[in-house]
Amino acid sequence: MAREFDVIVVGELNVDLIFNQIQGFPEVGKEILSNDMTLTLGSSSAICASNLSSLGLKVAFVGKLGNDVFGQFIIDELNSAGVDTSMIIIDDKYKTGATVALSYDEERAMITHQGAMSYMGLDDIDPKQLRRAEHLHFSSYFFQPGFKNSLHRLFEMAKNEGITTSLDVQWDPSETWELNLEQVLPFVDVFIPNEVELKKLTGFSSIDQAIESVGIKCNYVVVKCGSRGSVMYYDDKLVPQKPFLNKNVVDTIGAGDSFNAGFISRFIKGASPEDCQEFGNLIGAISTTEAGGTGAFNNLDEIMKIAKDRFNYYGSIE
Ligand SMILES: Nc1ncnc2c1ncn2[C@@H]1O[C@H](COP(=O)(O)OP(=O)(O)OP(=O)(O)O)[C@@H](O)[C@H]1O
Ligand SMILES: [Mg+2]
């Protein structure tokens, strides 16, 4: 019998409050005005979950929020994208995470309060939750200290429940890159870092060496290389794929999370690795055509229109 959800995403949650069109960065003791402001769903994991759902998959989220308006905003945003939020934990002790971003020309300055996301860990996850899905996706390891030294146990739990898995570690703000890949990768089917993250994690400066060093430990390594597309490693071979190049990028926020959504949506349907990678590249490219990580993913018709008009892609989107 098919499971209730296609994908269960375990990860961090926060809002992004973005001040656009400021005249410069504020100085200590002074106040400046911003001509525009946006409050949006932040966090890599939530962008991936939301876009998976927009691509037609049944998606559930496990994360931690405070009992406050930002928490409610996140739940409303995920629900309106069709993501099941019933497994999200609301904890009165903490505040919902928030990032304030100041955007001045091409420059950005950001400050984040992690709040509740720091306090979710292995004890908050029940194997029964994982059993409800076909696939586990986990993102942003370094933003969730509750999983420090126990991430491999979450992935082992998923494998014991007979589900497939994917991992995107994302950036490490402390830049220490302490994650024991030997421990976790044997339980990971698809490892999806970006190029810089993979080099930092493995200590190799050559992308080929970095990929091969992890490729022997999991089934598929898929490395996102921005406007150069992606490189995949499986069955002892390297498969580079060109991007669906967008020369008029609005922004690249969430392009990597969108790539993940594209790759995973094909992967769980049993598509060939090359098809999964191509669809990851397409969904990553589509993300760059609108502001933010979810702006281009309002509904299937619009996604399909962008795919055709902007990228000459006439295949199926679902
Ligand atoms: N200019 C572009 N044109 C077309 N596709 C792009 C462009 N930039 C990025 N992409 C697509 O998006 C994918 C992910 O981008 P990127 O390598 O920036 O991921 P990332 O660094 O993990 O991003 P994130 O900030 O979301 O974590 C790329 O592999 C590529 O397929
Ligand atoms: Mg990324």
PDB file of all heavy atoms in Angstrom, residues 126-146:
ATOM      1  N   ASP A 126       9.899  10.541  15.849  1.00  0.00           N
ATOM      2  CA  ASP A 126       9.394   9.201  16.139  1.00  0.00           C
ATOM      3  C   ASP A 126       9.496   8.377  14.849  1.00  0.00           C
ATOM      4  O   ASP A 126       9.065   8.851  13.790  1.00  0.00           O
ATOM      5  CB  ASP A 126       7.920   9.356  16.574  1.00  0.00           C
ATOM      6  CG  ASP A 126       7.333   8.062  17.081  1.00  0.00           C
ATOM      7  OD1 ASP A 126       7.703   6.994  16.545  1.00  0.00           O
ATOM      8  OD2 ASP A 126       6.506   8.121  18.009  1.00  0.00           O
ATOM      9  N   PRO A 127      10.041   7.154  14.927  1.00  0.00           N
ATOM     10  CA  PRO A 127      10.130   6.334  13.707  1.00  0.00           C
ATOM     11  C   PRO A 127       8.778   6.196  13.004  1.00  0.00           C
ATOM     12  O   PRO A 127       8.724   6.089  11.776  1.00  0.00           O
ATOM     13  CB  PRO A 127      10.610   4.975  14.221  1.00  0.00           C
ATOM     14  CG  PRO A 127      11.195   5.222  15.555  1.00  0.00           C
ATOM     15  CD  PRO A 127      10.600   6.480  16.105  1.00  0.00           C
ATOM     16  N   LYS A 128       7.704   6.247  13.790  1.00  0.00           N
ATOM     17  CA  LYS A 128       6.357   6.111  13.175  1.00  0.00           C
ATOM     18  C   LYS A 128       6.093   7.250  12.183  1.00  0.00           C
ATOM     19  O   LYS A 128       5.376   7.071  11.209  1.00  0.00           O
ATOM     20  CB  LYS A 128       5.274   6.170  14.254  1.00  0.00           C
ATOM     21  CG  LYS A 128       5.146   4.929  15.095  1.00  0.00           C
ATOM     22  CD  LYS A 128       3.764   4.911  15.766  1.00  0.00           C
ATOM     23  CE  LYS A 128       3.804   4.165  17.076  1.00  0.00           C
ATOM     24  NZ  LYS A 128       3.905   5.024  18.265  1.00  0.00           N
ATOM     25  N   GLN A 129       6.677   8.432  12.454  1.00  0.00           N
ATOM     26  CA  GLN A 129       6.481   9.559  11.528  1.00  0.00           C
ATOM     27  C   GLN A 129       7.157   9.255  10.198  1.00  0.00           C
ATOM     28  O   GLN A 129       6.602   9.517   9.136  1.00  0.00           O
ATOM     29  CB  GLN A 129       7.080  10.839  12.126  1.00  0.00           C
ATOM     30  CG  GLN A 129       6.393  11.283  13.409  1.00  0.00           C
ATOM     31  CD  GLN A 129       7.120  12.461  14.059  1.00  0.00           C
ATOM     32  OE1 GLN A 129       8.353  12.494  14.096  1.00  0.00           O
ATOM     33  NE2 GLN A 129       6.359  13.398  14.584  1.00  0.00           N
ATOM     34  N   LEU A 130       8.367   8.710  10.275  1.00  0.00           N
ATOM     35  CA  LEU A 130       9.110   8.411   9.050  1.00  0.00           C
ATOM     36  C   LEU A 130       8.399   7.330   8.240  1.00  0.00           C
ATOM     37  O   LEU A 130       8.406   7.344   7.010  1.00  0.00           O
ATOM     38  CB  LEU A 130      10.540   7.979   9.387  1.00  0.00           C
ATOM     39  CG  LEU A 130      11.358   8.997  10.199  1.00  0.00           C
ATOM     40  CD1 LEU A 130      12.744   8.444  10.509  1.00  0.00           C
ATOM     41  CD2 LEU A 130      11.490  10.323   9.451  1.00  0.00           C
ATOM     42  N   ARG A 131       7.750   6.418   8.947  1.00  0.00           N
ATOM     43  CA  ARG A 131       7.041   5.308   8.296  1.00  0.00           C
ATOM     44  C   ARG A 131       5.876   5.800   7.437  1.00  0.00           C
ATOM     45  O   ARG A 131       5.374   5.097   6.588  1.00  0.00           O
ATOM     46  CB  ARG A 131       6.507   4.384   9.407  1.00  0.00           C
ATOM     47  CG  ARG A 131       6.335   2.940   9.011  1.00  0.00           C
ATOM     48  CD  ARG A 131       5.961   2.110  10.230  1.00  0.00           C
ATOM     49  NE  ARG A 131       6.999   2.141  11.265  1.00  0.00           N
ATOM     50  CZ  ARG A 131       6.774   1.918  12.565  1.00  0.00           C
ATOM     51  NH1 ARG A 131       5.554   1.665  13.004  1.00  0.00           N
ATOM     52  NH2 ARG A 131       7.768   1.948  13.434  1.00  0.00           N
ATOM     53  N   ARG A 132       5.426   7.031   7.681  1.00  0.00           N
ATOM     54  CA  ARG A 132       4.274   7.557   6.920  1.00  0.00           C
ATOM     55  C   ARG A 132       4.693   8.055   5.532  1.00  0.00           C
ATOM     56  O   ARG A 132       3.850   8.459   4.747  1.00  0.00           O
ATOM     57  CB  ARG A 132       3.623   8.713   7.695  1.00  0.00           C
ATOM     58  CG  ARG A 132       2.964   8.242   8.975  1.00  0.00           C
ATOM     59  CD  ARG A 132       2.524   9.422   9.843  1.00  0.00           C
ATOM     60  NE  ARG A 132       1.395  10.162   9.287  1.00  0.00           N
ATOM     61  CZ  ARG A 132       0.865  11.236   9.855  1.00  0.00           C
ATOM     62  NH1 ARG A 132       1.357  11.692  10.994  1.00  0.00           N
ATOM     63  NH2 ARG A 132      -0.152  11.842   9.300  1.00  0.00           N
ATOM     64  N   ALA A 133       6.015   8.076   5.263  1.00  0.00           N
ATOM     65  CA  ALA A 133       6.489   8.659   3.994  1.00  0.00           C
ATOM     66  C   ALA A 133       7.338   7.672   3.195  1.00  0.00           C
ATOM     67  O   ALA A 133       7.827   6.680   3.730  1.00  0.00           O
ATOM     68  CB  ALA A 133       7.287   9.923   4.273  1.00  0.00           C
ATOM     69  N   GLU A 134       7.518   8.007   1.918  1.00  0.00           N
ATOM     70  CA  GLU A 134       8.375   7.182   1.042  1.00  0.00           C
ATOM     71  C   GLU A 134       9.828   7.634   1.101  1.00  0.00           C
ATOM     72  O   GLU A 134      10.728   6.877   0.765  1.00  0.00           O
ATOM     73  CB  GLU A 134       7.925   7.322  -0.430  1.00  0.00           C
ATOM     74  CG  GLU A 134       6.484   6.982  -0.701  1.00  0.00           C
ATOM     75  CD  GLU A 134       6.249   5.488  -0.847  1.00  0.00           C
ATOM     76  OE1 GLU A 134       7.233   4.725  -0.839  1.00  0.00           O
ATOM     77  OE2 GLU A 134       5.074   5.104  -0.938  1.00  0.00           O
ATOM     78  N   HIS A 135      10.033   8.918   1.488  1.00  0.00           N
ATOM     79  CA  HIS A 135      11.379   9.500   1.362  1.00  0.00           C
ATOM     80  C   HIS A 135      11.592  10.545   2.461  1.00  0.00           C
ATOM     81  O   HIS A 135      10.700  11.338   2.749  1.00  0.00           O
ATOM     82  CB  HIS A 135      11.503  10.164  -0.026  1.00  0.00           C
ATOM     83  CG  HIS A 135      12.848  10.749  -0.310  1.00  0.00           C
ATOM     84  ND1 HIS A 135      13.840  10.073  -0.987  1.00  0.00           N
ATOM     85  CD2 HIS A 135      13.385  11.962   0.008  1.00  0.00           C
ATOM     86  CE1 HIS A 135      14.918  10.843  -1.089  1.00  0.00           C
ATOM     87  NE2 HIS A 135      14.669  11.996  -0.484  1.00  0.00           N
ATOM     88  N   LEU A 136      12.805  10.548   3.042  1.00  0.00           N
ATOM     89  CA  LEU A 136      13.189  11.581   4.024  1.00  0.00           C
ATOM     90  C   LEU A 136      14.163  12.560   3.369  1.00  0.00           C
ATOM     91  O   LEU A 136      15.158  12.153   2.774  1.00  0.00           O
ATOM     92  CB  LEU A 136      13.900  10.927   5.221  1.00  0.00           C
ATOM     93  CG  LEU A 136      14.706  11.887   6.124  1.00  0.00           C
ATOM     94  CD1 LEU A 136      13.765  12.737   6.987  1.00  0.00           C
ATOM     95  CD2 LEU A 136      15.680  11.124   7.021  1.00  0.00           C
ATOM     96  N   HIS A 137      13.877  13.869   3.507  1.00  0.00           N
ATOM     97  CA  HIS A 137      14.873  14.880   3.109  1.00  0.00           C
ATOM     98  C   HIS A 137      15.227  15.705   4.341  1.00  0.00           C
ATOM     99  O   HIS A 137      14.337  16.164   5.069  1.00  0.00           O
ATOM    100  CB  HIS A 137      14.334  15.793   2.007  1.00  0.00           C
ATOM    101  CG  HIS A 137      15.321  16.845   1.591  1.00  0.00           C
ATOM    102  ND1 HIS A 137      16.492  16.532   0.936  1.00  0.00           N
ATOM    103  CD2 HIS A 137      15.348  18.187   1.784  1.00  0.00           C
ATOM    104  CE1 HIS A 137      17.184  17.652   0.722  1.00  0.00           C
ATOM    105  NE2 HIS A 137      16.515  18.666   1.231  1.00  0.00           N
ATOM    106  N   PHE A 138      16.538  15.878   4.563  1.00  0.00           N
ATOM    107  CA  PHE A 138      17.009  16.682   5.690  1.00  0.00           C
ATOM    108  C   PHE A 138      17.931  17.761   5.135  1.00  0.00           C
ATOM    109  O   PHE A 138      18.775  17.497   4.274  1.00  0.00           O
ATOM    110  CB  PHE A 138      17.781  15.810   6.683  1.00  0.00           C
ATOM    111  CG  PHE A 138      18.283  16.559   7.898  1.00  0.00           C
ATOM    112  CD1 PHE A 138      17.543  16.574   9.084  1.00  0.00           C
ATOM    113  CD2 PHE A 138      19.486  17.261   7.867  1.00  0.00           C
ATOM    114  CE1 PHE A 138      17.993  17.274  10.203  1.00  0.00           C
ATOM    115  CE2 PHE A 138      19.942  17.968   8.976  1.00  0.00           C
ATOM    116  CZ  PHE A 138      19.195  17.964  10.153  1.00  0.00           C
ATOM    117  N   SER A 139      17.786  18.992   5.679  1.00  0.00           N
ATOM    118  CA  SER A 139      18.623  20.089   5.194  1.00  0.00           C
ATOM    119  C   SER A 139      19.115  20.943   6.360  1.00  0.00           C
ATOM    120  O   SER A 139      18.507  20.962   7.425  1.00  0.00           O
ATOM    121  CB  SER A 139      17.792  20.933   4.227  1.00  0.00           C
ATOM    122  OG  SER A 139      18.592  21.942   3.662  1.00  0.00           O
ATOM    123  N   SER A 140      20.224  21.657   6.115  1.00  0.00           N
ATOM    124  CA  SER A 140      20.740  22.681   7.043  1.00  0.00           C
ATOM    125  C   SER A 140      21.206  22.122   8.387  1.00  0.00           C
ATOM    126  O   SER A 140      20.786  22.583   9.453  1.00  0.00           O
ATOM    127  CB  SER A 140      19.681  23.769   7.261  1.00  0.00           C
ATOM    128  OG  SER A 140      19.239  24.268   6.037  1.00  0.00           O
ATOM    129  N   TYR A 141      22.101  21.165   8.309  1.00  0.00           N
ATOM    130  CA  TYR A 141      22.636  20.507   9.507  1.00  0.00           C
ATOM    131  C   TYR A 141      23.244  21.505  10.498  1.00  0.00           C
ATOM    132  O   TYR A 141      23.021  21.417  11.705  1.00  0.00           O
ATOM    133  CB  TYR A 141      23.706  19.493   9.066  1.00  0.00           C
ATOM    134  CG  TYR A 141      24.493  18.874  10.190  1.00  0.00           C
ATOM    135  CD1 TYR A 141      23.912  17.939  11.035  1.00  0.00           C
ATOM    136  CD2 TYR A 141      25.834  19.216  10.400  1.00  0.00           C
ATOM    137  CE1 TYR A 141      24.634  17.354  12.068  1.00  0.00           C
ATOM    138  CE2 TYR A 141      26.567  18.636  11.426  1.00  0.00           C
ATOM    139  CZ  TYR A 141      25.961  17.711  12.251  1.00  0.00           C
ATOM    140  OH  TYR A 141      26.671  17.151  13.273  1.00  0.00           O
ATOM    141  N   PHE A 142      24.005  22.471   9.982  1.00  0.00           N
ATOM    142  CA  PHE A 142      24.746  23.352  10.889  1.00  0.00           C
ATOM    143  C   PHE A 142      23.856  24.397  11.566  1.00  0.00           C
ATOM    144  O   PHE A 142      24.301  25.083  12.476  1.00  0.00           O
ATOM    145  CB  PHE A 142      25.905  24.031  10.144  1.00  0.00           C
ATOM    146  CG  PHE A 142      26.896  23.028   9.604  1.00  0.00           C
ATOM    147  CD1 PHE A 142      26.948  22.723   8.254  1.00  0.00           C
ATOM    148  CD2 PHE A 142      27.749  22.350  10.469  1.00  0.00           C
ATOM    149  CE1 PHE A 142      27.846  21.781   7.761  1.00  0.00           C
ATOM    150  CE2 PHE A 142      28.657  21.409   9.994  1.00  0.00           C
ATOM    151  CZ  PHE A 142      28.698  21.130   8.631  1.00  0.00           C
ATOM    152  N   PHE A 143      22.618  24.525  11.112  1.00  0.00           N
ATOM    153  CA  PHE A 143      21.674  25.430  11.777  1.00  0.00           C
ATOM    154  C   PHE A 143      20.846  24.694  12.829  1.00  0.00           C
ATOM    155  O   PHE A 143      19.982  25.292  13.461  1.00  0.00           O
ATOM    156  CB  PHE A 143      20.737  26.076  10.748  1.00  0.00           C
ATOM    157  CG  PHE A 143      21.406  27.157   9.961  1.00  0.00           C
ATOM    158  CD1 PHE A 143      22.086  26.871   8.794  1.00  0.00           C
ATOM    159  CD2 PHE A 143      21.373  28.476  10.404  1.00  0.00           C
ATOM    160  CE1 PHE A 143      22.725  27.874   8.071  1.00  0.00           C
ATOM    161  CE2 PHE A 143      22.003  29.480   9.690  1.00  0.00           C
ATOM    162  CZ  PHE A 143      22.679  29.181   8.519  1.00  0.00           C
ATOM    163  N   GLN A 144      21.095  23.399  12.974  1.00  0.00           N
ATOM    164  CA  GLN A 144      20.290  22.604  13.904  1.00  0.00           C
ATOM    165  C   GLN A 144      21.202  21.823  14.855  1.00  0.00           C
ATOM    166  O   GLN A 144      21.381  20.614  14.703  1.00  0.00           O
ATOM    167  CB  GLN A 144      19.387  21.655  13.120  1.00  0.00           C
ATOM    168  CG  GLN A 144      18.431  22.417  12.213  1.00  0.00           C
ATOM    169  CD  GLN A 144      17.600  21.482  11.359  1.00  0.00           C
ATOM    170  OE1 GLN A 144      16.545  21.045  11.783  1.00  0.00           O
ATOM    171  NE2 GLN A 144      18.086  21.160  10.183  1.00  0.00           N
ATOM    172  N   PRO A 145      21.782  22.531  15.843  1.00  0.00           N
ATOM    173  CA  PRO A 145      22.738  21.873  16.736  1.00  0.00           C
ATOM    174  C   PRO A 145      22.146  20.691  17.507  1.00  0.00           C
ATOM    175  O   PRO A 145      22.894  19.848  18.002  1.00  0.00           O
ATOM    176  CB  PRO A 145      23.150  23.000  17.698  1.00  0.00           C
ATOM    177  CG  PRO A 145      22.137  24.081  17.527  1.00  0.00           C
ATOM    178  CD  PRO A 145      21.593  23.952  16.147  1.00  0.00           C
ATOM    179  N   GLY A 146      20.811  20.620  17.551  1.00  0.00           N
ATOM    180  CA  GLY A 146      20.169  19.472  18.213  1.00  0.00           C
ATOM    181  C   GLY A 146      20.491  18.149  17.525  1.00  0.00           C
ATOM    182  O   GLY A 146      20.317  17.089  18.120  1.00  0.00           O
TER     183      GLY A 146
END
